[in-house]
Amino acid sequence: LGALVESCPESAEVPSKDGETPIMISFRRAILQAGGSSSSATSFPSEREVSILAESTGEALLTEDSKLDGQILLHQAVRRGAPLGILKLLVDACPASASVPSKDGTGHNALMMSFARGRDDAIFPSADEVHLLASAAGGEAALVTDADGKICLHRAVEDG
């Protein structure tokens, strides 16, 4: 992968016929190999693979993936409890992704999703995860309001 992306960096942003970028395919492959659905699988591509693909993908990380519940990759990674290293690679490649509201009717951004994951699945975000997601894009993510008009701090207090 490294040699391909190094030879042609823009190839990491080219979608397939059905709209999937290489990094989307990478995450979906990890889910399928784990034998899970997009909402339950806890297997992820390696940090090296994510690093190679995310570094050249940039703003394409804002693309919604119809095969991963119509969410952007950061949403999926947070919901499924991805390791901090993978979250950091995704946020570093596209800081704006931390502020993007979900399309599931809640309007939650990645940080709100991490609090909900703690409430629903008892996989609580670490202080490092909270800091990464809250400080992305100059702290803008912490001030995003959801469909109920609540910011991340409201959700953090509410979700415990």
Side-chain angles (χ1 to χ4, degrees), residues 21-78:
T21 61
I23 197 165
M24 290 174 173
I25 295 168
S26 173
F27 271 73
R28 186 172 47 77
R29 184 198 72 235
I31 290 167
L32 295 174
Q33 286 176 342
S37 69
S38 61
S39 61
S40 65
T42 56
S43 183
F44 300 93
S46 71
E47 285 189 28
R48 176 159 166 58
E49 185 172 340
V50 173
S51 176
I52 291 167
L53 295 172
E55 192 173 289
S56 297
T57 302
E59 295 295 313
L61 288 172
L62 296 173
T63 304
E64 297 169 10
D65 189 341
S66 62
K67 293 184 178 179
L68 291 176
D69 300 333
Q71 302 297 319
I72 64 172
L73 284 180
L74 182 60
H75 292 164
Q76 285 297 321
V78 167

Side-chain angles (χ1 to χ4, degrees), residues 5-133:
V5 174
E6 186 177 306
S7 298
C8 184
E10 58 273 7
S11 67
E13 295 184 39
V14 176
S16 65
K17 181 179 173 182
D18 55 351
E20 288 186 303
T21 61
I23 197 165
M24 290 174 173
I25 295 168
S26 173
F27 271 73
R28 186 172 47 77
R29 184 198 72 235
I31 290 167
L32 295 174
Q33 286 176 342
S37 69
S38 61
S39 61
S40 65
T42 56
S43 183
F44 300 93
S46 71
E47 285 189 28
R48 176 159 166 58
E49 185 172 340
V50 173
S51 176
I52 291 167
L53 295 172
E55 192 173 289
S56 297
T57 302
E59 295 295 313
L61 288 172
L62 296 173
T63 304
E64 297 169 10
D65 189 341
S66 62
K67 293 184 178 179
L68 291 176
D69 300 333
Q71 302 297 319
I72 64 172
L73 284 180
L74 182 60
H75 292 164
Q76 285 297 321
V78 167
R79 284 185 170 165
R80 294 178 26 236
L84 184 64
I86 288 178
L87 298 180
K88 183 167 177 20
L89 290 166
L90 294 173
V91 170
D92 286 351
C94 185
S97 65
S99 299
V100 174
S102 68
K103 302 289 185 190
D104 63 1
T106 65
H108 289 176
N109 67 9
L111 184 55
M112 292 175 187
M113 290 176 188
S114 71
F115 297 137
R117 184 190 70 224
R119 179 195 67 227
D120 298 341
D121 301 326
I123 303 172
F124 295 94
S126 67
D128 290 336
E129 181 178 335
V130 171
H131 184 265
L132 171 70
L133 297 173

